[in-house]
Amino acid sequence: MTNFDNETNGRIQQWLTAEYDQDTVAQVQKLVDDKEETELLDSFYKELEFGTGGLRGIMGVGSNRMNKYTLGKATQGLSNYLKKEFPNEEVKVAVSYDSRNNSQVFGKMVADVFSANGIKVYLFEELRPTPMLSFAVRHFGCQGGVMLTASHNPKEYNGYKAYWNDGGQLVAPHDKNVITEVNAIQSVTEIKFEGIQDNITVVKEDFDQIYIDANKQLSIHPEIVAAQQDLKIVFSPIHGTGITLVPKILEAWGFKNVTVVEEQSKPDGNFPTVIYPNPEEEEAMSMAKQKGEALDADVVMATDPDADRVGVAVKNANGTFQLLNGNQIGSLLTYYVLSAKQEKGELQAEDYVVKTIVTSNLFSDIATGFGVKSYETLTGFKFIGEVITNLEEKENYLVGGEESYGFLVGDLVRDKDAVNSCAFIAEMTAYFKNQGKSLFDVLLEIYEKYGFYQEKLISLTKKGKAGADEIKQMMIDLRANAPKVLGGVAVSEIRDYENKVAYDLTTGKKTAIDLPKSDVLQFITVDGDVISARPSGTEPKIKFYCSVKEQLSAISEYDMVAGKLEHKVEQIMADIVKN
């Protein structure tokens, strides 16, 4: 351990004391005895921190791992903060968990710590999706909540999403203030692990119907659903919580021909049929897509383990099933909600949509086309939730989303909601099928009307402390040596969200960025291409996003323009990654 800095060594030594249970001490001691220096360093070089998705990490022993002590410390810190922020109220929290290994155990432990601190807990009896947790916080009038999930991460991960009283994930100043409270805990002996059962109320299955009924009120065209009730839908929960709610909500909506991918229907934290339980991945969607092809389905959908993100496959112009990316799904949803509401005469001056800075500008182009306002936030749906909360009773949120497959129609929750999205994607499919169109047909119409956007995401995985240091250095280098040309096109503007300033390279003018600080760089070319570099807040990755646009004068030119844009994207991405 002599190769480690003093703080890392100090953490290791602390975890070898009698403050920790014998099994934990034995596991740490074995790592020391076996000289597992890389594992020791990665497990102890820092404390787990809240990122865009909360607390998330690999399960195991150590201060930088997900275990009873890091979760207990986070919960004790959150308990202390809640009691300070709401001193004269009965403090209440909701707790739920997904299908990951240890999620239920962690959920019960978190509920125990809250209850031991005199906080009333609404604990879900069985696994439920993340949006149900957000809904429960608002429904039960809670001041906070916790969801045990690592979303779409690999099976060795788990996570802890903390929520505030609006049903949204923690944002400033609460996120940093909770971390301050957590860091103030000097010993795990300060964590109250012994639960008080009288403070815990079990949320049973009948709560599902309350959530489903509230969502059903949002349906724009129930009469079209009735006309297309036999729409062929294929759904996979990819071994996650989607199985508990998505089939139920589709049935309640009125869809009678839903086929669940049986091989992926059982919740299982080992995710045995996929490499990663991520609907962004072709491989994770392959089983659902195959079932869709076999049944000649109208739409194929699959949700991630905590059912806050959804992937979609539809038949393209050639009659083969094609996966849509998150920008395409979100653009279709935006177009459907706005066009359907306009058709019914329900669009209002105070309506708005929201997207993140790395999400396609097609969202806002569509909104502008309908005379609807659009807002832009930092990456992470918690920031979209924050906009909804801040504008509540002033303006009217309709739909929003991000390129990473997270969407929300209506404001019942303050987080992305794949259960809600599946219902609206099905309704949207029925609406356009009633007009003789597939979702792919409509996507091409959108491109023809608003411009053909082509996007690509490249993620580079850099694990452990060495990887974190490498990612940090990559961002330093990009700031110090910003590219002047990408894909043969001159860069005209650089937006540095960390320093909150935009630089016009033509005029030299600097403009302030009115968003919180975030380690993101964007390069805008003279063609209007947008290239973004951003370290992930939830995974050991650095992500590069590219969005290019060209006019599509006729749908018949789709293949030609798609090929041209794809070539441009490849050139740009080669330059930015090489840079």
Side-chain angles (χ1 to χ4, degrees):
M1 289 190 289
T2 55
N3 294 329
F4 301 156
D5 60 87
N6 291 336
E7 286 189 6
T8 302
N9 279 329
R11 291 189 191 100
I12 295 170
Q13 292 300 335
Q14 186 176 17
W15 280 62
L16 289 169
T17 66
E19 289 183 3
Y20 296 81
D21 64 73
Q22 291 181 348
D23 183 53
T24 296
V25 172
Q27 289 183 62
V28 177
Q29 189 62 56
K30 187 174 190 310
L31 290 174
V32 173
D33 293 343
D34 293 348
K35 295 183 170 55
E36 297 280 357
E37 293 200 355
T38 300
E39 180 62 25
L40 274 169
L41 182 61
D42 290 348
S43 299
F44 288 97
Y45 82 92
K46 67 172 184 176
E47 305 278 348
L48 276 178
E49 299 171 350
F50 282 98
T52 56
L55 197 68
R56 197 177 296 187
I58 294 170
M59 290 177 278
V61 294
S63 61
N64 190 38
R65 293 289 187 251
M66 292 289 294
N67 52 65
K68 67 177 283 189
Y69 295 107
T70 52
L71 286 173
K73 190 175 176 181
T75 308
Q76 186 63 52
L78 180 54
S79 298
N80 295 345
Y81 185 63
L82 285 167
K83 290 167 77 174
K84 285 181 179 178
E85 286 291 297
F86 304 98
N88 302 314
E89 300 178 37
E90 179 190 40
V91 180
K92 298 179 286 185
V93 298
V95 177
S96 187
Y97 50 89
D98 71 359
S99 62
R100 285 182 177 271
N101 296 328
N102 297 317
S103 280
Q104 185 171 18
V105 173
F106 287 159
K108 179 65 169 67
M109 185 273 293
V110 166
D112 283 343
V113 174
F114 278 131
S115 70
N117 280 277
I119 293 172
K120 182 174 177 60
V121 184
Y122 293 92
L123 174 66
F124 280 79
E125 184 174 38
E126 296 178 332
L127 77 171
R128 282 298 182 272
T130 288
M132 281 284 285
L133 185 278
S134 176
F135 183 79
V137 168
R138 290 161 59 77
H139 178 81
F140 292 118
C142 297
Q143 287 85 353
V146 170
M147 177 73 191
L148 283 304
T149 177
S151 188
H152 58 285
N153 281 51
K155 64 182 180 180
E156 63 266 26
Y157 282 78
N158 214 315
Y160 179 104
K161 291 183 179 179
Y163 289 77
W164 199 240
N165 62 355
D166 65 342
Q169 290 183 53
L170 293 184
V171 294
H174 305 302
D175 50 359
K176 297 292 191 294
N177 292 346
V178 170
I179 287 294
T180 299
E181 289 289 343
V182 172
N183 292 339
I185 298 169
Q186 298 301 306
S187 167
V188 293
T189 58
E190 298 174 47
I191 304 170
K192 299 176 181 178
F193 281 113
E194 295 298 321
I196 299 173
Q197 296 311 302
D198 287 348
N199 288 339
I200 300 176
T201 298
V202 175
V203 180
K204 297 186 179 290
E205 187 177 358
D206 56 3
F207 186 65
D208 294 354
Q209 199 59 47
I210 297 172
Y211 166 83
I212 289 169
D213 289 345
N215 267 283
K216 195 176 176 187
Q217 295 299 312
L218 299 174
S219 174
I220 305 170
H221 277 295
E223 76 286 355
I224 302 259
V225 172
Q228 294 288 341
Q229 62 181 348
D230 291 325
L231 191 82
K232 286 183 279 188
I233 300 169
V234 169
F235 169 69
S236 171
I238 315 183
H239 305 289
T241 60
I243 192 63
T244 64
L245 260 296
V246 174
K248 281 184 182 179
I249 202 168
L250 291 173
E251 181 182 8
W253 224 261
F255 294 105
K256 301 185 182 302
N257 191 6
V258 179
T259 300
V260 175
V261 179
E262 190 63 34
E263 300 91 331
Q264 296 180 324
S265 63
K266 184 179 178 182
D268 188 335
N270 291 317
F271 310 112
T273 65
V274 297
I275 298 171
Y276 300 114
N278 184 355
E280 287 185 68
E281 303 286 343
E282 286 261 2
E283 182 271 334
M285 291 284 295
S286 62
M287 201 169 277
K289 197 168 82 164
Q290 287 167 12
K291 180 68 73 174
E293 289 167 347
L295 297 175
D296 191 30
D298 294 295
V299 66
V300 174
M301 300 182 286
T303 52
D304 67 342
D306 64 323
D308 63 353
R309 296 160 21 113
V310 56
V312 175
V314 296
K315 278 185 288 188
N316 61 23
N318 299 320
T320 57
F321 274 82
Q322 175 178 323
L323 298 186
L324 301 180
N325 64 41
N327 287 308
Q328 293 169 327
I329 300 167
S331 297
L332 281 163
L333 275 171
T334 301
Y335 183 72
Y336 168 65
V337 171
L338 299 188
S339 60
K341 283 188 171 291
Q342 183 184 66
E343 181 186 18
K344 287 203 159 189
E346 295 177 359
L347 280 185
Q348 305 168 47
E350 61 270 22
D351 290 340
Y352 69 93
V353 305
V354 195
K355 75 176 197 71
T356 72
I357 59 174
V358 297
T359 301
S360 176
N361 287 327
L362 183 53
F363 283 48
S364 44
D365 288 352
I366 292 169
T368 300
F370 282 94
V372 170
K373 282 184 287 189
S374 64
Y375 293 97
E376 195 168 67
T377 72
L378 294 176
T379 308
F381 212 94
K382 67 178 185 178
F383 296 113
I384 295 179
E386 184 181 25
V387 170
I388 299 172
T389 294
N390 290 342
L391 293 178
E392 196 168 20
E393 297 181 2
K394 300 173 191 171
E395 297 182 22
N396 182 44
Y397 170 83
L398 293 182
V399 59
E402 50 189 354
E403 93 302 328
S404 55
Y405 294 64
F407 319 103
L408 174 68
V409 180
D411 63 354
L412 288 177
V413 305
R414 293 292 184 273
D415 208 346
K416 51 188 177 288
D417 186 344
V419 182
N420 160 283
S421 298
C422 282
F424 271 99
I425 290 165
E427 177 175 305
M428 171 174 69
T429 307
Y431 175 78
F432 289 119
K433 185 177 182 182
N434 211 52
Q435 299 175 5
K437 300 174 185 176
S438 71
L439 288 188
F440 194 79
D441 293 333
V442 178
L443 183 63
L444 298 192
E445 289 179 8
I446 291 171
Y447 285 158
E448 186 180 29
K449 189 170 185 178
Y450 300 102
F452 188 168
Y453 281 85
Q454 184 99 340
E455 289 96 10
K456 185 169 184 176
L457 166 66
I458 291 179
S459 296
L460 303 181
T461 300
K462 308 284 184 181
K463 294 184 178 180
K465 183 180 186 303
D469 291 342
E470 188 177 350
I471 288 171
K472 184 182 289 186
Q473 189 59 49
M474 289 173 78
M475 293 300 291
I476 290 171
D477 292 344
L478 268 175
R479 284 189 169 90
N481 302 292
K484 300 294 189 295
V485 176
L486 288 169
V489 184
V491 174
S492 61
E493 182 184 354
I494 299 173
R495 297 174 188 168
D496 187 341
Y497 290 87
E498 179 71 18
N499 294 307
K500 301 182 64 171
V501 63
Y503 304 91
D504 187 317
L505 301 187
T506 305
T507 65
K509 183 181 177 182
K510 295 182 181 180
T511 307
I513 293 175
D514 187 23
L515 285 172
K517 288 176 65 172
S518 182
D519 190 13
V520 180
L521 279 171
Q522 280 189 330
F523 306 94
I524 318 298
T525 74
V526 293
D527 286 355
D529 310 317
V530 182
I531 301 93
S532 309
R534 168 185 165 265
S536 172
T538 57
E539 300 172 273
K541 293 180 177 180
I542 183 168
K543 296 185 174 184
F544 297 94
Y545 307 78
C546 179
S547 177
V548 299
K549 176 188 178 184
E550 186 163 315
Q551 293 307 309
L552 183 65
S553 56
I555 288 176
S556 60
E557 296 179 2
Y558 169 77
D559 288 336
M560 180 192 72
V561 178
K564 182 179 176 182
L565 291 178
E566 193 171 330
H567 179 67
K568 187 176 187 181
V569 167
E570 293 299 330
Q571 286 185 308
I572 288 173
M573 288 307 235
D575 284 352
I576 191 72
V577 173
K578 177 183 66 180
N579 200 81

